[in-house]
Amino acid sequence: MSTAKKTVHATVLGYPRIGANRELKRAVEAHWSGRLDRAGLDAAAAEIRSQMLDDLAAADLHSVPTGTFSLYDHVLDTTVAVDAIADRHRRDDETATYFAAARGDDRAVPLEMTKWFDTNYHYLVPEIGPRTRFRARPEKALGEFDEARERGLEARPVLLGPVSFLLLAKPAADAPAGFAPLDRLGELVEVYVELVGALTEAGAERVQLDEPALCADRSREELDAAGSAYERLSEAAELLVTGGYGPFGEALPVLLEAGVQGLALDLVRGRADLEALESLDVSRETFILAGAVDGRNIWRTDLLSAAADLERLHRLTHRPGVSTSCSLLHVPVDLDAEHDLPKSLTERLAFARQKLREVVSLSRPDAPRLQRPTAPTEWRDRTVRSRLAALPDGTDRRVPYGRRAAAQPELPPLPTTTIGSFPQTTELRKARAARRRGLMIEADYNARMRSEIAEVIAEQEKLGLDVLVHGEPERNDMVQYFAEQLTGFAVTAAGWVQSYGSRCVRPPILYSDVARPEPMTVEWISYARSLTSKPVKGMLTGPVTILAWSFVRDDQPLADTADQVALALRDEVADLERAGTPIIQVDEPALRELLPLRAAGRERYREWATRAFRIATSGVRPETAIHTHLCYSEFGDVIDAIGDLDADVTSIEASRSKMEVLADLDRADYRRGIGPGVWDIHSPRVPSAEEMAASLRLAVRAVDPRRVWVNPDCGLKTRRYEEVRPSLANMVEAARTVRGELG
Ligand code: GLN
Ligand code: ZN
């Protein structure tokens, strides 16, 4: 076909915005601590945006996304762009308003934060009520658009679309029962008409509206609402609508019928859309981007099969293009910063900068099209595979919860504990860095960690906590720490991606079969236990979370990889138990994260995810308590999975949602121990004892008090001792108060 010989439009849907060296983190944190004023922060942000544009410009794309920079979160940016900031966060100065909404301040609690689809990114949940007044505030979008235009780039402004914005929002506190944010879509669309109008007037040829919420199952009403919204919006401007987190599915015909002029398909996770398009009546003038380059993972694209997809697209439209499957927000900036990865691995990787080149090369029909090489045979571990095959079917604890609970350590009612980590102080980070650079010998490093553990234990005894932790000072990160000790993983030097706000993570790369050569945590936990007569919990990260927060091989089903990780953890659990650890907590904060966005895949997910957890934990005796920690409060479709984990105690986030989750758990028949977080550790605010006691009273009313534990929402590693000490003291006091009231 002759059309196939033309160069097609090349672009990406978004670009990493934290800076190649986490400049964003440094700047905003300096601003928060008062070391960098507003002007300094603005200058640092401008520098990061300039760096982003440098990368995009160098790649020679046909158009570049703009407006995708953010000081904290792009959903919050959208809230600002439609002026839907909650009244409690409005301050005299805009930056103060922005960060009050993001992090809270001494006057107000922040917005709730929750997971962005099935990723490890977290967004701030807009609060929308019947009285929210929308107003177009295009300043940020216009400013960033101009920055790109000034460089002579074909700029394409990006906004989170109105349907997803409202579907991601929650009803404001003053909304009547039955109100849904989406009820406001009609009015919000008019504000978007103004926003896209301002951008078009400024010279934008096309505006990108991201509608990732359309990659999930949606009701007929929601789809109809989306259809009307896009009829109106596509009259106002030339649009590119993206999903990015799977197929559009039944939203695809809705968008096409509404008349949207451009669509970006996720051809990594949403290949079904390509087939669907072939049987739909698509105008050949529709601009269709083949999102062939994975925006979520770091493997090189199989250019041969991507080119074949592109060929298919050529038959559907006169205006095909190629792009990433979603924004590159989820991948690190540059593979060239990595010097210590094995060559066989490097050859198979592409980070953001490399992906730009893949997109451009796909857009040029004469560029070489290489097939991706298969994994080398050394990456297979026969022992692991045969041990897994030999594992007994019954991966459960045999003894039911009731009898286990009776055999486990006796504690006061409403036992107090923490989630595991204590503040990661500058000294700890320095010690770790010194050891990494070879400036601190192993013995000195170990001594430093031990003294930290001793302090953390002393601190907890002084505070009067019931179940102690060692504080996790030796852990750089809850996944990386294990990845460094398991085979099959590689750790990057600078592969940072944003998790929320200024928090960045460096996901390890799980590229081959996994095994545990030696115990990973036993020494530290046993040392902690030797310092106290109180029970100490051992801490591990669960298999699903290890997968969720790594870049995982894509050459075998996730379920198979999960089993391998679980088997390695099972070995660790056995060693911890043998050493006498009475309670072992296996954290699965990412259990919900990997839940398929569409119902069709969920049953299978629940099966393999909970099986992996049980492979890891079911080898213990009834006397050993298994705890787990989940990092969120909206359980939705994992609520049954929580039961299937068969943990003795589950701690969850609950403070921002005011304990509402307990009723949900109760409805789902969860009848084991539960630790609803009473202190929101994502905010620097110190909650009062009275406030936490109030939460606890709600808790003991919602569920049997004998099952309730008292703990913060999450680990304390990102907090400072100045916040941790008073907060935990208040928490212990709250527990005592409510204990007294139980009678
Ligand atoms: N045990 C971990 C900690 O306390 C759990 C962290 C998490 O849930 N993300 O830091
Ligand atoms: Zn957590």
Side-chain angles (χ1 to χ4, degrees), residues 419 589 629-632 653 713-715:
I419 304 303
H629 167 68
L630 310 172
C631 248
Y632 43 85
E653 198 172 302
D713 265 344
C714 195

PDB file of all heavy atoms in Angstrom, residues 419 589 629-632 653 713-715, ligand 2:
ATOM      1  N   ILE A 419       2.882   0.569  61.671  1.00  0.00           N
ATOM      2  CA  ILE A 419       2.847  -0.228  60.441  1.00  0.00           C
ATOM      3  C   ILE A 419       4.227  -0.787  60.088  1.00  0.00           C
ATOM      4  O   ILE A 419       4.351  -1.658  59.235  1.00  0.00           O
ATOM      5  CB  ILE A 419       2.233   0.598  59.290  1.00  0.00           C
ATOM      6  CG1 ILE A 419       0.849   1.106  59.696  1.00  0.00           C
ATOM      7  CG2 ILE A 419       2.133  -0.184  57.996  1.00  0.00           C
ATOM      8  CD1 ILE A 419      -0.142   0.015  60.113  1.00  0.00           C
ATOM      9  N   PRO A 589       0.260  -3.474  50.335  1.00  0.00           N
ATOM     10  CA  PRO A 589      -0.392  -2.191  50.042  1.00  0.00           C
ATOM     11  C   PRO A 589      -0.825  -2.062  48.590  1.00  0.00           C
ATOM     12  O   PRO A 589      -1.648  -1.230  48.272  1.00  0.00           O
ATOM     13  CB  PRO A 589       0.685  -1.154  50.385  1.00  0.00           C
ATOM     14  CG  PRO A 589       1.975  -1.888  50.333  1.00  0.00           C
ATOM     15  CD  PRO A 589       1.645  -3.280  50.792  1.00  0.00           C
ATOM     16  N   HIS A 629      -0.901  -5.439  55.747  1.00  0.00           N
ATOM     17  CA  HIS A 629      -1.220  -4.017  55.721  1.00  0.00           C
ATOM     18  C   HIS A 629      -1.581  -3.619  54.305  1.00  0.00           C
ATOM     19  O   HIS A 629      -0.872  -3.948  53.359  1.00  0.00           O
ATOM     20  CB  HIS A 629      -0.020  -3.204  56.219  1.00  0.00           C
ATOM     21  CG  HIS A 629      -0.151  -1.748  55.941  1.00  0.00           C
ATOM     22  ND1 HIS A 629      -1.088  -0.962  56.553  1.00  0.00           N
ATOM     23  CD2 HIS A 629       0.506  -0.940  55.081  1.00  0.00           C
ATOM     24  CE1 HIS A 629      -0.991   0.269  56.087  1.00  0.00           C
ATOM     25  NE2 HIS A 629      -0.031   0.316  55.192  1.00  0.00           N
ATOM     26  N   LEU A 630      -2.725  -2.968  54.162  1.00  0.00           N
ATOM     27  CA  LEU A 630      -3.170  -2.487  52.855  1.00  0.00           C
ATOM     28  C   LEU A 630      -3.212  -0.972  52.938  1.00  0.00           C
ATOM     29  O   LEU A 630      -3.653  -0.423  53.934  1.00  0.00           O
ATOM     30  CB  LEU A 630      -4.568  -3.045  52.534  1.00  0.00           C
ATOM     31  CG  LEU A 630      -4.720  -4.558  52.705  1.00  0.00           C
ATOM     32  CD1 LEU A 630      -6.179  -4.973  52.548  1.00  0.00           C
ATOM     33  CD2 LEU A 630      -3.866  -5.312  51.699  1.00  0.00           C
ATOM     34  N   CYS A 631      -2.759  -0.314  51.880  1.00  0.00           N
ATOM     35  CA  CYS A 631      -2.492   1.121  51.964  1.00  0.00           C
ATOM     36  C   CYS A 631      -3.611   2.027  51.515  1.00  0.00           C
ATOM     37  O   CYS A 631      -3.368   3.102  51.030  1.00  0.00           O
ATOM     38  CB  CYS A 631      -1.316   1.431  51.070  1.00  0.00           C
ATOM     39  SG  CYS A 631       0.110   1.926  51.982  1.00  0.00           S
ATOM     40  N   TYR A 632      -4.836   1.605  51.589  1.00  0.00           N
ATOM     41  CA  TYR A 632      -5.912   2.421  51.042  1.00  0.00           C
ATOM     42  C   TYR A 632      -7.175   2.048  51.769  1.00  0.00           C
ATOM     43  O   TYR A 632      -7.204   1.097  52.545  1.00  0.00           O
ATOM     44  CB  TYR A 632      -6.083   2.155  49.536  1.00  0.00           C
ATOM     45  CG  TYR A 632      -6.001   0.691  49.221  1.00  0.00           C
ATOM     46  CD1 TYR A 632      -7.116  -0.128  49.313  1.00  0.00           C
ATOM     47  CD2 TYR A 632      -4.773   0.117  48.943  1.00  0.00           C
ATOM     48  CE1 TYR A 632      -7.018  -1.479  49.104  1.00  0.00           C
ATOM     49  CE2 TYR A 632      -4.662  -1.241  48.741  1.00  0.00           C
ATOM     50  CZ  TYR A 632      -5.792  -2.030  48.819  1.00  0.00           C
ATOM     51  OH  TYR A 632      -5.677  -3.375  48.632  1.00  0.00           O
ATOM     52  N   GLU A 653      -5.910   1.940  55.718  1.00  0.00           N
ATOM     53  CA  GLU A 653      -6.017   3.383  55.803  1.00  0.00           C
ATOM     54  C   GLU A 653      -7.466   3.704  56.122  1.00  0.00           C
ATOM     55  O   GLU A 653      -8.365   3.115  55.531  1.00  0.00           O
ATOM     56  CB  GLU A 653      -5.651   3.929  54.428  1.00  0.00           C
ATOM     57  CG  GLU A 653      -5.297   5.364  54.398  1.00  0.00           C
ATOM     58  CD  GLU A 653      -4.768   5.752  53.024  1.00  0.00           C
ATOM     59  OE1 GLU A 653      -3.769   5.146  52.566  1.00  0.00           O
ATOM     60  OE2 GLU A 653      -5.367   6.638  52.422  1.00  0.00           O
ATOM     61  N   ASP A 713      -2.241   5.134  59.711  1.00  0.00           N
ATOM     62  CA  ASP A 713      -2.670   4.723  58.374  1.00  0.00           C
ATOM     63  C   ASP A 713      -1.606   3.965  57.602  1.00  0.00           C
ATOM     64  O   ASP A 713      -1.917   3.198  56.700  1.00  0.00           O
ATOM     65  CB  ASP A 713      -3.005   5.975  57.543  1.00  0.00           C
ATOM     66  CG  ASP A 713      -4.477   6.305  57.590  1.00  0.00           C
ATOM     67  OD1 ASP A 713      -5.262   5.435  57.995  1.00  0.00           O
ATOM     68  OD2 ASP A 713      -4.827   7.431  57.220  1.00  0.00           O
ATOM     69  N   CYS A 714      -0.347   4.252  57.899  1.00  0.00           N
ATOM     70  CA  CYS A 714       0.724   3.673  57.081  1.00  0.00           C
ATOM     71  C   CYS A 714       2.047   3.801  57.857  1.00  0.00           C
ATOM     72  O   CYS A 714       2.055   4.264  58.998  1.00  0.00           O
ATOM     73  CB  CYS A 714       0.788   4.414  55.737  1.00  0.00           C
ATOM     74  SG  CYS A 714       1.763   3.545  54.484  1.00  0.00           S
ATOM     75  N   GLY A 715       3.130   3.391  57.226  1.00  0.00           N
ATOM     76  CA  GLY A 715       4.450   3.490  57.840  1.00  0.00           C
ATOM     77  C   GLY A 715       4.865   4.937  58.060  1.00  0.00           C
ATOM     78  O   GLY A 715       4.315   5.849  57.450  1.00  0.00           O
TER      79      GLY A 715
HETATM   80 ZN    ZN B   2       0.648   1.747  53.945  1.00  0.00          ZN
END
